[in-house]
Amino acid sequence: MTPETIAQLAEYLENAELNAQPVAQISRAHPDITEADGYAIQHEIRRRKTARGTQIIGFKAGLTSRAKMKQVGVETPSYGFLADYFADADGGEIERAKLIHPRVEPEIAFVLKKPLRGPGCHIGAVLAATDFVMPAMEIIDSRYENFKFDFPSVVADNSSSARFVLGGLARKVEDLDLRTLGMVLEHNGKPFSFGAGAAVLGHPALAVALVVNLLARRDEGLEAGNVILTGGITEAVACAAGDHVCLRMQGLGSVSARFV
Ligand code: OOG
Ligand code: MG
């Protein structure tokens, strides 16, 4: 793809996000789109936002569990960036009208105390650089009609990133077995899905290493203080205005929000 096409598709997808209006999958008009094109478009969206003063506060891994891959029919993990305005408060309200067709998924968030750079980033480096982990709900919102996409299209669309809520307790990784850590996602007071940390690549710290090693292709890395969402442990639940979601994580308390 030419730089002009990349810039034009970044504007198309960012406008879809900012206006909460779904658009056609970009692979329809550009059937030869590659993974590299998808990331080039995502990075152009990031550049547009930072040029307006938006801060990038971290990154997310996507499609790191079987349940997530199955739900959307894409089998390759991806990453996306997290902008400052994506963060919503625990126990607070999420404005449904600013989103297209939001879904909520349960994740483990890592917050770093040291920078991480790849290639060659491994689970040990991630654990040594982690300050603490927290329960997180990610609110994904594909900009594509009917939440349907292929891999390059979802990469271009910042891996469906829209909002996230961190909450519950912040705990040190050395005090937890993140593989057997259990969780329940409740939707309107009823259990919706259940899982354990190992659903994410066998260990959620591996999702942080994956993001670091993918960022290294652009000679980028993670900074101290960055938050990294490691990917949905279970399938995501679609939410309407008025819906309430609560994630309970073993030994880490709970995080909740209401769509208004
Ligand atoms: C793509 C983003 C996936 C996750 O946690 O797996 C993701 C999507 O499902 O729309 O955020
Ligand atoms: Mg996610």
Side-chain angles (χ1 to χ4, degrees):
M1 268 183 190
T2 63
E4 292 73 34
T5 307
I6 286 162
Q8 176 221 320
L9 291 172
E11 186 178 4
Y12 171 77
L13 283 173
E14 204 204 6
N15 283 344
E17 179 222 319
L18 297 174
N19 303 327
Q21 287 297 328
V23 292
Q25 228 187 109
I26 56 179
S27 56
R28 220 173 285 159
H30 302 272
D32 298 332
I33 183 173
T34 64
E35 170 179 347
D37 295 329
Y39 277 113
I41 295 163
Q42 180 191 127
H43 298 133
E44 174 60 15
I45 295 172
R46 172 156 42 117
R47 192 202 60 75
R48 291 170 64 89
K49 291 193 187 300
T50 52
R52 275 184 228 117
T54 299
Q55 298 295 315
I56 303 304
I57 59 175
F59 288 85
K60 58 153 303 166
L63 307 171
T64 50
S65 69
R66 294 301 318 164
K68 278 293 307 177
M69 291 177 183
K70 206 170 146 217
Q71 186 173 33
V72 296
V74 176
E75 304 244 320
T76 314
S78 66
Y79 72 88
F81 63 83
L82 300 175
D84 48 12
Y85 69 92
F86 294 2
D88 275 326
D90 185 12
E93 297 179 340
I94 298 169
E95 281 185 84
R96 173 67 183 81
K98 293 222 167 123
L99 304 169
I100 301 165
H101 37 207
R103 295 178 179 177
V104 172
E105 53 194 18
E107 308 206 9
I108 296 171
F110 283 61
V111 175
L112 300 185
K113 60 185 173 195
K114 291 189 193 136
L116 277 172
R117 291 197 84 88
C121 180
H122 55 82
I123 185 168
V126 172
L127 295 177
T130 299
D131 200 353
F132 51 82
V133 293
M134 291 178 83
M137 290 190 295
E138 187 182 20
I139 296 92
I140 49 171
D141 193 35
S142 176
R143 267 55 70 167
Y144 299 121
E145 289 155 351
N146 306 314
F147 226 109
K148 285 252 183 314
F149 44 73
D150 49 36
F151 181 64
S153 297
V154 69
V155 163
D157 184 29
N158 195 21
S159 295
S160 308
S161 307
R163 299 285 184 272
F164 67 92
V165 184
L166 298 184
L169 302 176
R171 301 232 357 231
K172 296 282 172 196
V173 277
E174 46 270 41
D175 298 336
L176 300 166
D177 181 348
L178 290 176
R179 292 163 301 184
T180 56
L181 192 86
M183 53 115 307
V184 181
L185 178 65
E186 295 173 0
H187 180 230
N188 293 332
K190 293 195 200 85
F192 170 80
S193 67
F194 319 88
V200 170
L201 300 178
H203 192 301
L206 288 170
V208 179
L210 176 110
V211 171
V212 172
N213 290 325
L214 289 172
L215 283 170
R217 302 189 300 194
R218 287 175 46 86
D219 207 22
E220 291 186 324
L222 299 175
E223 309 300 329
N226 274 177
V227 56
I228 302 94
L229 301 179
T230 51
I233 296 170
T234 74
E235 69 275 29
V237 61
C239 287
D243 283 6
H244 184 262
V245 278
C246 175
L247 170 63
R248 301 185 192 278
M249 234 175 229
Q250 192 175 6
L252 289 175
S254 63
V255 51
S256 67
R258 181 178 296 284
F259 284 83
V260 295

